Amino acid sequence: QVQLVESGGGLVQAGGSLRLSCAASGSIFSINTMGWYRQAPGKQRDLVSSITSRGITKYADSVKGRFTISGDNAKNTVYLQMNSLKPEDTAVYYCNADQVRRYVGGAYYLDDYWGQGTQVTVSS
């Protein structure tokens, strides 16, 4: 089936930068939205940023002005450039692909997919 593979996480000092990548693979007809969520210890999984196939973007208030999301429709890939990182950005970051359309056996199917997650740690 469809798989999402993330890369780019790691350990960085406060004020530093990281770039996350997520590539969706499989028999995909189209994807409506791709984005990034994060979950810190003891917290809920929250939206960080998302982008539609038409380039419409959303950002959590806590990352506006610091993070930038971009995508490549031809490669089914999304990127998250994270600048001016803060210790509170420390979390596991999960890639999400929403409304992934497949056409199999004369029928359309819509599903959501999640990556396994990549750890981002920001030290003070």
Side-chain angles (χ1 to χ4, degrees), residues 73-115:
N73 288 335
K75 298 182 182 296
N76 288 323
T77 300
V78 66
Y79 308 93
L80 186 68
Q81 179 66 45
M82 304 185 294
N83 298 327
S84 302
L85 283 162
K86 305 174 180 179
E88 53 261 44
D89 295 318
T90 296
V92 177
Y93 284 69
Y94 296 91
C95 180
N96 171 260
D98 179 64
Q99 293 187 305
V100 180
R101 184 180 294 272
R102 296 178 293 125
Y103 185 73
V104 182
Y108 286 103
Y109 299 88
L110 282 176
D111 296 285
D112 297 342
Y113 295 92
W114 290 91

